[in-house]
C-alpha cells in the first residue's frame, strides 16, 4: 500500500480517509443532532459577552460542561482560560483544539432577540460589549466537539486537549494574556501537544464552505505609538510654533510610501494604518504635543523588520525637518507573529477537510491582513488554522457586515460543519501512524 513522502515526513495515504467514512457519517449525524444545543450555547455567550481577561461567567459555563463530560479540567489558566483533557482509551499522540473567548468594545446595532445589551467603560469611554468577531461561535462549536469526542473516549487513540483561551483581541493596558500567556503557563505541555487545530468563522464566506492557506495565512501585527513634540503657540501666529499637527499630517502621508515604494507587493502584502490622532483642545491654539496610534501588518520577518526600520526613520526625520522631536514606540502594547500553517500538516489534513465539506467546498484562501494570536501556539507546535463560512447563502460578500462592526452577523446553520471538521481533523490525525 503506497504512502506519500513529503519533505521527509510520512503523509497518510488517501485510503485512510476512505476507511474512516463510516465514522465520519456517524459524526455527521451526531453533529446535526447537537446543532440546536450548539446554537443555544452560542446565543447565551452572545447575549452575555465579556472582554479579554474578564471572561468569568463564560469560563464558568465552559468548565461546568467539560466537567460534566468526565474530563480533567483546569481553570484560571492565563487569567480566565479553561483547559479540558480527554484521555482516549488507546495510546497515541496529543491533539489540541483551541477556541477564543473574549468579546469586543463594540455596541451591537442588530435586532437579534439575543443581542447584547452589556455596557462597560473602555479607555475612559462608555461602550457596548459585543461578540463582533465570532468568538461566541468558536466556543459553542468546540463545546459540541468536546461532547461528541467524550462519547467516543474508549475508541480514541490518543489524547485531546481542549483549550478555551481568553483575550485573543488583546488585554487591558499593563496586563498579560491571550495565547502568549497560555503558552508561557505551559498549556502545550503535560501532556505535550503534537499538533494544534483551530477555526475562525467568517461573515463574508458562504455557509458550507471551508477555506485554508498553507504557510503564512494571517499577518504578523505590531501596534505603534508616535509622539510628536513641538512648540505651542497662538493659532493666529503659527510662525511662533513648531506645529505638531502639521508634522503628524506629513508623517501619515510619508508612511504610505513604505508599502508603495519599499515593499515588493508581488511577494507579500503589507499594511501601515494610522487609526487615531490626538492633539489640541481649541481651534486657535497650536498644541505642544500630538499622539498617533497605528497598526502594522506583515507576512515575513524580513518585511516586518524593514517596516519597523522605515517607520522609525520616516517619522523621526520628518519631525527633525520641522524642528520637532518624534518618539516611535513599536510595538507599543502588542505583537502577534504570522499565523503560519505548517506545510506538511496542512497537506496531510487537507483530505480530512475535503471529506467533511466536499472537495468543491474547500477553497484556497488569499492571505489575510488580520492577525491571530493562534500564531503563538504555531511557533511551538505544528498547527493548522482554517476558516468556516458563516455568511447566508446568496448574499454579496462585499455587502455582508464585516468583523468588528456593530452589524456583524453569522448564520448559525454553519456551526454543524465546524463541529464535524474539528472532530474529523482530530480523529484522522490521531489515527495516522506517526
Amino acid at each position: 500500500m503506497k504512502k506519500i513522502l513529503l519533505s521527509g515526513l510520512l503523509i497518510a495515504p488517501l485510503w485512510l480517509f476512505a476507511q474512516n467514512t463510516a465514522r465520519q457519517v456517524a459524526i455527521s449525524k451526531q453533529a446535526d443532532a447537537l446543532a440546536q444545543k450548539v446554537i443555544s450555547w452560542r446565543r447565551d455567550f452572545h447575549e452575555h459577552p465579556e472582554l479579554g481577561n474578564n471572561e468569568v461567567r463564560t469560563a464558568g459555563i465552559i468548565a461546568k460542561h467539560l466537567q460534566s463530560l468526565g474530563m480533567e479540567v483546569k481553570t484560571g489558566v492565563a487569567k480566565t482560560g479553561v483547559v479540558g483533557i480527554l484521555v482516549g482509551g488507546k495510546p497515541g499522540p496529543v491533539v489540541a483544539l483551541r477556541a477564543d473567548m473574549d468579546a469586543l468594545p463594540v455596541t451591537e446595532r442588530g435586532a437579534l432577540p439575543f443581542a447584547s445589551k452589556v455596557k462597560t467603560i473602555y479607555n475612559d469611554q462608555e461602550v457596548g460589549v459585543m461578540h463582533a468577531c465570532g468568538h461566541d461561535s468558536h466556543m459553542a462549536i468546540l463545546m459540541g466537539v468536546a461532547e461528541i469526542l467524550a462519547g467516543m473516549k474508549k475508541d480514541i487513540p490518543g489524547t485531546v486537549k481542549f483549550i478555551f483561551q481568553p483575550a485573543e483581541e488583546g488585554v487591558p493596558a499593563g496586563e498579560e494574556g491571550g495565547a502568549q500567556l497560555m503558552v508561557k503557563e505551559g498549556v502545550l505541555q503535560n501532556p505535550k501537544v503534537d499538533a494544534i487545530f483551530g477555526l475562525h468563522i467568517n461573515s463574508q464566506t458562504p455557509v458550507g464552505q471551508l477555506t485554508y492557506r498553507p504557510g503564512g495565512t494571517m499577518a504578523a501585527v505590531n501596534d505603534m505609538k508616535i509622539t510628536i513634540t513641538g512648540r505651542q503657540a497662538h493659532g493666529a501666529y503659527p510662525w511662533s510654533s513648531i506645529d505638531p499637527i502639521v508634522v503628524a499630517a506629513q508623517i501619515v502621508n510619508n508612511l504610505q510610501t513604505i508599502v508603495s515604494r519599499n515593499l515588493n507587493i508581488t511577494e507579500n502584502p503589507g499594511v501601515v494604518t494610522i487609526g487615531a490622532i490626538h492633539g489640541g483642545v481649541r481651534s486657535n491654539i497650536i498644541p505642544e504635543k500630538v499622539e498617533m496610534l497605528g497598526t502594522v501588518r506583515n507576512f515575513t520577518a524580513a518585511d516586518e523588520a524593514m517596516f519597523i526600520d522605515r517607520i522609525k526613520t520616516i517619522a523621526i526625520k520628518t519631525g527633525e525637518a520641522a524642528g520637532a522631536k518624534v518618539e516611535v514606540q513599536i510595538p507599543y502594547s502588542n505583537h502577534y507573529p504570522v499565523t503560519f500553517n505548517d506545510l506538511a500538516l496542512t497537506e496531510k489534513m487537507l483530505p480530512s477537510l475535503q471529506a467533511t465539506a466536499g472537495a468543491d467546498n474547500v477553497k484556497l484562501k488569499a492571505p489575510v491582513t488580520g492577525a491571530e494570536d493562534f500564531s503563538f501556539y504555531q511557533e511551538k507546535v505544528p498547527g493548522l488554522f482554517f476558516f468556516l463560512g458563516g455568511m447566508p447563502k446568496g448574499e454579496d460578500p462585499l455587502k455582508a457586515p464585516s468583523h468588528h462592526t456593530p452589524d456583524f452577523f453569522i448564520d448559525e446553520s454553519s456551526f454543524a460543519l465546524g463541529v464535524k471538521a474539528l472532530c474529523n481533523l482530530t480523529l484522522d490525525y490521531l489515527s495516522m501512524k506517526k
Side-chain angles (χ1 to χ4, degrees):
M1 295 182 180
K2 188 177 180 180
K3 299 184 180 180
I4 303 165
L5 198 63
L6 176 68
S7 302
L9 295 175
L10 197 61
I11 303 306
L14 294 180
W15 59 260
L16 176 62
F17 296 100
Q19 196 177 59
N20 291 333
T21 300
R23 187 194 68 210
Q24 291 169 350
V25 169
I27 286 173
S28 182
K29 289 180 179 179
Q30 290 181 67
D32 290 338
L34 201 60
Q36 194 54 53
K37 197 172 184 180
V38 172
I39 289 171
S40 296
W41 284 325
R42 182 263 172 157
R43 291 184 177 184
D44 181 71
F45 290 140
H46 190 90
E47 191 171 359
H48 303 95
E50 296 172 302
L51 294 179
N53 280 2
N54 291 282
E55 305 94 336
V56 177
R57 178 185 182 275
T58 303
I61 292 170
I62 293 167
K64 184 177 180 180
H65 176 63
L66 298 182
Q67 288 163 352
S68 75
L69 299 175
M71 294 187 197
E72 175 190 345
V73 178
K74 301 177 182 178
T75 60
V77 184
K79 308 288 186 184
T80 55
V82 180
V83 178
I85 300 176
L86 178 65
V87 180
K90 303 175 183 179
V94 179
V95 166
L97 303 175
R98 176 272 209 165
D100 35 18
M101 300 164 62
D102 53 328
L104 287 158
V106 173
T107 302
E108 187 158 8
R109 193 157 52 198
L112 296 173
F114 52 91
S116 169
K117 297 179 177 60
V118 176
K119 302 284 186 182
T120 193
I121 302 298
Y122 185 83
N123 283 348
D124 300 324
Q125 299 180 51
E126 184 180 67
V127 295
V129 182
M130 177 188 175
H131 273 293
C133 200
H135 297 187
D136 50 349
S137 307
H138 305 165
M139 290 183 286
I141 287 170
L142 192 55
M143 289 170 71
V145 173
E147 187 158 327
I148 291 174
L149 294 184
M152 305 170 62
K153 177 179 177 178
K154 66 181 178 62
D155 297 317
I156 292 177
T159 297
V160 186
K161 187 175 286 191
F162 297 89
I163 299 173
F164 290 86
Q165 176 210 303
E168 189 281 325
E169 300 287 358
V171 298
E175 293 186 21
E176 288 186 284
Q180 188 172 24
L181 184 56
M182 293 205 96
V183 171
K184 182 178 177 180
E185 292 188 1
V187 75
L188 298 177
Q189 305 297 323
N190 301 316
K192 186 179 184 301
V193 171
D194 294 291
I196 186 166
F197 300 116
L199 64 71
H200 203 302
I201 202 155
N202 188 275
S203 67
Q204 295 168 306
T205 299
V207 166
Q209 288 188 8
L210 301 176
T211 62
Y212 76 101
R213 185 174 187 81
T217 299
M218 300 185 75
V221 59
N222 285 283
D223 69 345
M224 62 179 168
K225 180 179 181 181
I226 300 175
T227 305
I228 306 159
T229 304
R231 184 166 63 236
Q232 189 162 321
H234 195 298
Y237 314 115
W239 51 86
S240 299
S241 74
I242 296 175
D243 192 337
I245 290 179
V246 171
V247 173
Q250 292 171 337
I251 289 174
V252 170
N253 285 332
N254 292 345
L255 289 180
Q256 300 313 307
T257 64
I258 300 173
V259 174
S260 67
R261 292 296 177 268
N262 300 129
L263 179 67
N264 185 343
I265 58 173
T266 66
E267 294 180 352
N268 290 299
V271 174
V272 179
T273 293
I274 298 297
I277 300 178
H278 303 288
V281 294
R282 186 179 167 95
S283 63
N284 64 346
I285 300 174
I286 295 171
E288 181 179 55
K289 183 179 293 186
V290 168
E291 292 182 343
M292 306 162 62
L293 299 174
T295 187
V296 184
R297 312 286 169 130
N298 305 103
F299 283 86
T300 70
D303 285 346
E304 182 180 49
M306 182 270 288
F307 267 52
I308 291 173
D309 178 69
R310 293 296 295 143
I311 288 167
K312 290 180 177 179
T313 299
I314 288 171
I316 291 169
K317 296 302 182 183
T318 300
E320 287 179 358
K325 178 184 176 183
V326 176
E327 179 185 8
V328 180
Q329 296 168 269
I330 179 170
Y332 171 54
S333 63
N334 68 70
H335 167 260
Y336 293 175
V338 174
T339 304
F340 190 91
N341 283 335
D342 183 84
L343 298 177
L345 180 66
T346 302
E347 183 165 347
K348 182 162 63 174
M349 303 314 302
L350 181 57
S352 183
L353 294 178
Q354 292 172 331
T356 302
D360 291 343
N361 291 317
V362 180
K363 310 284 188 181
L364 186 65
K365 189 176 184 65
V368 178
T369 50
E372 243 290 346
D373 75 352
F374 189 83
S375 53
F376 285 107
Y377 304 117
Q378 292 174 311
E379 285 190 320
K380 303 297 183 182
V381 299
L384 171 58
F385 192 75
F386 64 100
F387 299 86
L388 171 69
M391 182 184 74
K393 291 182 178 179
E395 283 200 10
D396 183 350
L398 297 177
K399 295 180 180 178
S402 67
H403 294 239
H404 291 218
T405 66
D407 301 306
F408 175 76
F409 178 81
I410 288 297
D411 186 331
E412 295 173 329
S413 68
S414 62
F415 298 168
L417 178 57
V419 173
K420 296 170 191 178
L422 287 177
C423 284
N424 287 332
L425 281 172
T426 301
L427 296 174
D428 286 338
Y429 180 89
L430 292 175
S431 297
M432 296 173 187
K433 291 182 179 179
K434 297 183 66 177

